[in-house]
Amino acid sequence: MVRVVSLKHLAIRESLAIGRSVELTKESSEPLDKVDSTPSEEGVSIEELSSLLDQGIKCCVVYPSPETILEEHLNSGQDLEKAVQSTVSYTDELVSVYKKHRKQLNLLNECHIDYSTTQGLKSISNLGLCVESLRPPRSATVATTIALHITKTQNELNRAVNTLDGCSVAIDNNWEESVATQSLLWFEKLKKSQIDYDSTISKLEKMNKKAEAEKADLKSLLDEKSQEAKLHLIQTIEVQEQLERQAQSHKADKRELQKQIDQLLAKSVDEKEGLEIENKLLLNQVFNLQVELEAYYKAFNQNGVKTSKDEEIALVKNELITKLKLAERQLKVLDKQVEELSKRERKLAIELRHTKSELHSIRSSLAWKASKPVRALTKAIGKTKIKSRKIKADLNILNSSELFDAEWYLKSYPDVEKSGIDPAEHYLIFGWLEGRYPSLYFDGTWYLNRYPDVSKSDTNPLLHYLKFGKDEGRLQSPKLLESSEKNSAR
């Protein structure tokens, strides 16, 4: 019984029996029941092949070429040395099986079948095998070309492949020529792709340069616009501040003007009331004089006598009439002044409304809203300056006191000297919190424990002593307390 089988290998990703370019069946004069013409879809391993041969079964084996095995090993990620060694082991093992069962075994290289010529197909027929179907041979890849090159250059692998070729059925084929042709086509395609790639890179570089130039122009324009915006913001802030000052000034002017108007109105009302009273008095006097004159005229008409009293009455009457006219003129002048003050008040009210409208427009504008961080920063800087001035004043107090010894402080605390910070500033901000002594003559920790009110105020003890404690008769160290107690005991 003769079997046509394909040899499987762990490096092959799919069944070679299915992937072969030809399907082979046994053509024999023996009864068909003695011929197994259906290759196993999964193929057989070398161990399974040895088992068949040990049973006395004749086999025609289609095996994957060593180049294919090497290619698959490299594609799987193995390093070159390990891939070559695995391929040599596979080849030697197959040769060993052949030498043991050479009378029962015919070896056929799969790639030689795939790329067999007409003469090669005849060689296959001479074995009693016929080609059932012919499919296009699988395409060679760059990895195939590399595998062929390694096979030619690696001595041990080249020896093993040549030995296996000597054990296999000689099939005329154009395997290597086809691989070389396909490789050349692939390299030509790659070269063209490289040219296209270089052309694309050149275009992209030009585009990049153009983009960089545009970016530089845009950056320059942005900087220019930014400077203009900053200048506009500064001008807006100045205008806003000026308008605020004007608004405050207008408010002050309005208050002053209103005060003057109120005073003038009150004065004019008082004067008007006084003039009205005086006018009434004059009218009464005139009325009384008229009554007297009428009585006089009656008596004159009756007696026909005119005395000096009549002349006096006439003079008084004329004087009263003159005063009345003068009072009327003064009243008209006052009315005119009141009217002018009212007009001025209305004018100021209109100006105030315009000012408020302008101020509201400014506060509603984007420039005013955008300047809010600037104003906040200005306030923060002002607070920082005040704080800096306070620290500077406190440092001056410490440095001018004999109770702070800068040289002793640096010698006693080397870490402060290494930090490079001013010793007085260090003690003012950090040293007293860390329980450090400003000198041999002041104990800050003792001072705070001795005087809880100072401790609660969270104030630097030496600074408190110099500012307040000394004048309050407080002690600066426990030594002075002991001395004071001894003096009291005496």
Side-chain angles (χ1 to χ4, degrees):
M1 181 174 178
V2 179
R3 287 192 180 184
V4 180
V5 298
S6 61
L7 191 65
K8 69 180 180 180
H9 192 272
L10 292 176
I12 306 301
R13 289 190 297 263
E14 58 181 326
S15 170
L16 290 173
I18 296 174
R20 285 206 315 275
S21 301
V22 296
E23 289 293 340
L24 302 177
T25 59
K26 180 65 180 171
E27 185 177 54
S28 174
S29 59
E30 297 181 17
L32 289 175
D33 59 350
K34 294 184 179 180
V35 178
D36 183 4
S37 60
T38 306
S40 171
E41 288 189 357
E42 295 184 356
V44 297
S45 65
I46 292 180
E47 291 78 9
E48 291 170 340
L49 176 60
S50 298
S51 178
L52 290 173
L53 293 172
D54 290 339
Q55 296 173 29
I57 298 174
K58 294 182 178 180
C59 295
C60 288
V61 178
V62 178
Y63 65 88
S65 68
E67 295 85 358
T68 304
I69 298 296
L70 180 60
E71 178 185 351
E72 293 296 331
H73 279 308
L74 292 174
N75 286 336
S76 68
Q78 285 190 14
D79 58 74
L80 178 60
E81 184 178 354
K82 188 175 181 180
V84 169
Q85 189 60 43
S86 299
T87 307
V88 170
S89 298
Y90 158 77
T91 305
D92 289 344
E93 190 174 0
L94 192 55
V95 170
S96 177
V97 171
Y98 174 79
K99 288 181 178 179
K100 184 177 179 181
H101 304 281
R102 68 178 66 208
K103 292 183 180 181
Q104 298 171 245
L105 182 61
N106 285 320
L107 298 175
L108 292 88
N109 189 316
E110 179 215 2
C111 290
H112 292 176
I113 296 173
D114 283 347
Y115 290 88
S116 59
T117 62
T118 304
Q119 186 64 35
L121 293 175
K122 289 180 180 179
S123 300
I124 296 173
S125 298
N126 291 337
L127 295 173
L129 301 172
C130 64
V131 179
E132 290 290 330
S133 62
L134 185 64
R135 297 189 295 273
R138 63 177 187 168
S139 300
T141 64
V142 177
T144 308
T145 306
I146 295 172
L148 273 173
H149 176 72
I150 293 172
T151 303
K152 298 293 184 183
T153 55
Q154 291 284 341
N155 293 332
E156 185 179 4
L157 180 58
N158 188 36
R159 172 200 59 76
V161 171
N162 289 335
T163 303
L164 182 58
D165 286 342
C167 298
S168 303
V169 177
I171 300 173
D172 189 51
N173 64 88
N174 57 4
W175 156 240
E176 294 185 7
E177 293 83 352
S178 178
V179 171
T181 302
Q182 291 183 56
S183 297
L184 286 174
L185 291 174
W186 186 85
F187 279 116
E188 286 294 329
K189 185 178 179 181
L190 181 63
K191 185 177 179 181
K192 184 179 178 182
S193 298
Q194 182 64 36
I195 293 172
D196 293 340
Y197 173 78
D198 293 340
S199 176
T200 303
I201 290 296
S202 178
K203 290 179 181 179
L204 289 175
E205 287 178 350
K206 291 179 180 178
M207 292 173 64
N208 186 49
K209 289 181 180 178
K210 185 178 179 182
E212 289 292 337
E214 292 177 353
K215 180 181 177 182
D217 293 340
L218 287 174
K219 188 176 183 302
S220 177
L221 181 61
L222 181 63
D223 292 340
E224 183 180 348
K225 294 296 182 182
S226 177
Q227 292 296 328
E228 290 179 359
K230 288 180 181 178
L231 181 60
H232 179 69
L233 179 60
I234 293 171
Q235 292 174 347
T236 303
I237 292 173
E238 291 177 352
V239 170
Q240 185 269 335
E241 291 176 350
Q242 184 179 359
L243 288 174
E244 283 191 344
R245 288 194 297 270
Q246 290 178 356
Q248 294 296 332
S249 177
H250 286 167
K251 288 181 180 179
D253 291 344
K254 182 186 175 183
R255 287 193 296 268
E256 182 64 27
L257 181 61
Q258 187 65 45
K259 184 178 179 180
Q260 293 177 3
I261 290 172
D262 293 340
Q263 291 176 352
L264 289 173
L265 285 173
K267 184 177 179 181
S268 62
V269 169
D270 293 340
E271 290 180 353
K272 185 177 180 181
E273 290 177 352
L275 290 172
E276 288 177 352
I277 294 170
E278 187 176 352
N279 190 29
K280 288 180 180 180
L281 293 173
L282 291 173
L283 288 174
N284 289 330
Q285 291 177 4
V286 170
F287 178 74
N288 293 330
L289 286 173
Q290 287 178 345
V291 172
E292 292 179 1
L293 286 172
E294 287 177 358
Y296 175 77
Y297 285 133
K298 287 180 180 179
F300 180 78
N301 291 328
Q302 291 177 359
N303 302 321
V305 180
K306 189 175 183 180
T307 63
S308 59
K309 182 72 173 178
D310 298 332
E311 294 177 358
E312 183 179 347
I313 291 172
L315 291 173
V316 172
K317 183 178 179 180
N318 291 334
E319 184 180 354
L320 289 174
I321 292 170
T322 302
K323 287 183 178 180
L324 180 61
K325 290 180 180 180
L326 179 61
E328 288 177 351
R329 284 197 298 271
Q330 290 178 348
L331 186 60
K332 288 181 181 179
V333 171
L334 289 173
D335 289 338
K336 188 174 181 181
Q337 288 179 352
V338 171
E339 185 179 355
E340 288 178 355
L341 289 173
S342 300
K343 288 181 180 179
R344 186 177 177 188
E345 182 184 11
R346 288 194 295 272
K347 183 178 179 182
L348 288 174
I350 293 171
E351 290 179 359
L352 183 60
R353 283 198 297 272
H354 285 316
T355 304
K356 286 182 178 179
S357 176
E358 291 176 1
L359 186 59
H360 178 72
S361 300
I362 291 170
R363 287 179 173 171
S364 302
S365 66
L366 291 175
W368 174 257
K369 294 178 180 178
S371 66
K372 184 177 181 180
V374 177
R375 298 194 301 276
L377 180 60
T378 303
K379 291 180 180 178
I381 291 172
K383 292 180 180 178
T384 304
K385 288 181 178 179
I386 293 170
K387 188 175 180 180
S388 298
R389 288 196 294 269
K390 184 178 181 302
I391 291 175
K392 188 175 180 180
D394 291 343
L395 289 174
N396 289 335
I397 293 173
L398 290 181
N399 285 320
S400 62
S401 172
E402 295 179 353
L403 295 178
F404 181 78
D405 189 340
E407 185 178 353
W408 178 89
Y409 192 82
L410 293 176
K411 286 182 180 180
S412 300
Y413 306 110
D415 59 318
V416 179
E417 185 174 13
K418 288 180 181 179
S419 68
I421 190 171
D422 180 73
E425 184 176 353
H426 183 275
Y427 179 74
L428 177 66
I429 300 173
F430 310 107
W432 73 276
L433 293 171
E434 298 168 355
R436 305 194 189 217
Y437 292 85
S439 67
L440 290 171
Y441 308 105
F442 188 85
D443 187 343
T445 304
W446 179 87
Y447 189 83
L448 293 175
N449 293 331
R450 175 72 176 176
Y451 304 110
D453 59 319
V454 181
S455 180
K456 289 179 182 179
S457 67
D458 195 25
T459 305
N460 183 294
L462 178 56
L463 196 63
H464 180 275
Y465 176 78
L466 294 174
K467 284 184 174 181
F468 314 107
K470 187 175 181 181
D471 295 335
E472 295 169 358
R474 303 192 191 222
L475 301 176
Q476 63 195 48
S477 70
K479 293 181 179 180
L480 291 177
L481 177 62
E482 293 174 4
S483 175
S484 177
E485 289 176 349
K486 288 179 181 179
N487 292 331
S488 298
R490 288 176 184 175

